[in-house]
Amino acid sequence: MKKQIILVLLVFLATVFSVNAQKTGWGLTGSLVYASNGKLIDEAKNVLDKRGKGGTGFNVGVFGNLNLGAVYIRPKLVYSQTNSNYNIDSSTSSDFRQKSFDLPVLVGIKIIKPISFVVGPAFKYIINSGLENVKYKKIEQEATVGLNIGFALIIDRIGIDLIYDRGFSKNEASFINNETNNEYTLDTRPNQFILSISYRLNK
């Protein structure tokens, strides 16, 4: 269902931007990401690591901008990679890596030029995820929805965003240890701090 919602949203945004071509802009964007995923739990439902050690990642992609006066709409479509580290036991840790396509749709409210408050839904489609040295079994949902909230600084063609991203609900994946056959579940929907820079290509 969430895949269909993302497709409908993309079609809607494309329609709105084409109708309001005089007010639109588009360009390239890239971000540094600090991500921390949810709990790592063993098959006996013991919490092995409550949050894990957050790690850095990145995203790259494109953005659009629809200017509506004091408010603007800025969707982004980006490819993301994130990394977190978990303690499986007292002597073993493992890296969790995830690749996804993300579609945040930010609504910007201009506060004091050139600063804006931004908020909006963030759709995530997971391409690949894995826990180091542990065999992947299944994931609850490939597509999830979260919330982006933060501030944007836009000067001429350059934009800088500082965003906090979090999911609305858990999205657990299951893994099996290659050596012990122990099974683990991990909440794959990360909490993220995202520092983005964008460059508008059209005038």
Side-chain angles (χ1 to χ4, degrees):
M1 177 61 73
K2 290 189 174 70
K3 295 179 187 178
Q4 286 85 344
I5 292 172
I6 293 172
L7 180 61
V8 170
L9 181 62
L10 283 171
V11 173
F12 171 74
L13 289 171
T15 303
V16 170
F17 273 63
S18 63
V19 171
N20 295 276
Q22 300 262 330
K23 301 178 180 179
T24 62
W26 63 278
L28 305 177
T29 181
S31 307
L32 290 175
V33 179
Y34 178 82
S36 178
N37 294 82
K39 297 176 182 178
L40 178 67
I41 301 171
D42 66 14
E43 57 192 332
K45 303 304 179 184
N46 297 313
V47 178
L48 302 179
D49 199 329
K50 186 175 182 180
R51 174 53 67 181
K53 183 180 179 182
T56 57
F58 71 91
N59 68 48
V60 291
V62 295
F63 76 93
N65 194 89
L66 176 60
N67 190 358
L68 302 173
V71 175
Y72 59 87
I73 301 174
R74 178 170 283 213
K76 298 180 182 181
L77 180 61
V78 296
Y79 167 79
S80 300
Q81 284 191 199
T82 58
N83 180 71
S84 299
N85 183 268
Y86 284 86
N87 295 315
I88 293 179
D89 54 44
S90 58
S91 60
T92 308
S93 65
S94 184
D95 286 332
F96 174 73
R97 297 184 177 91
Q98 183 165 272
K99 300 174 183 178
S100 65
F101 284 113
D102 294 282
L103 176 63
V105 182
L106 298 177
V107 176
I109 302 169
K110 298 171 185 177
I111 304 172
I112 302 173
K113 194 175 181 179
I115 299 173
S116 305
F117 170 74
V118 292
V119 64
F123 302 89
K124 178 180 290 289
Y125 180 76
I126 296 172
I127 306 167
N128 179 269
S129 61
L131 196 59
E132 185 181 25
N133 299 322
V134 180
K135 185 169 65 175
Y136 175 82
K137 186 179 178 183
K138 63 179 181 178
I139 191 167
E140 186 178 347
Q141 298 180 80
E142 293 178 331
T144 61
V145 182
L147 176 71
N148 275 198
I149 185 169
F151 293 92
L153 174 70
I154 301 176
I155 301 175
D156 195 22
R157 296 186 179 218
I158 297 175
I160 300 173
D161 300 348
L162 180 60
I163 303 293
Y164 173 67
D165 168 76
R166 62 157 296 160
F168 286 135
S169 60
K170 294 180 181 180
N171 187 32
E172 291 188 341
S174 298
F175 303 90
I176 299 175
N177 192 301
N178 294 331
E179 297 179 357
T180 66
N181 287 325
N182 291 336
E183 186 168 336
Y184 308 98
T185 58
L186 173 64
D187 180 12
T188 63
R189 189 57 166 94
N191 291 339
Q192 301 180 129
F193 287 99
I194 304 169
L195 179 62
S196 302
I197 186 166
S198 58
Y199 182 77
R200 180 167 49 85
L201 293 175
N202 65 330
K203 293 183 180 180

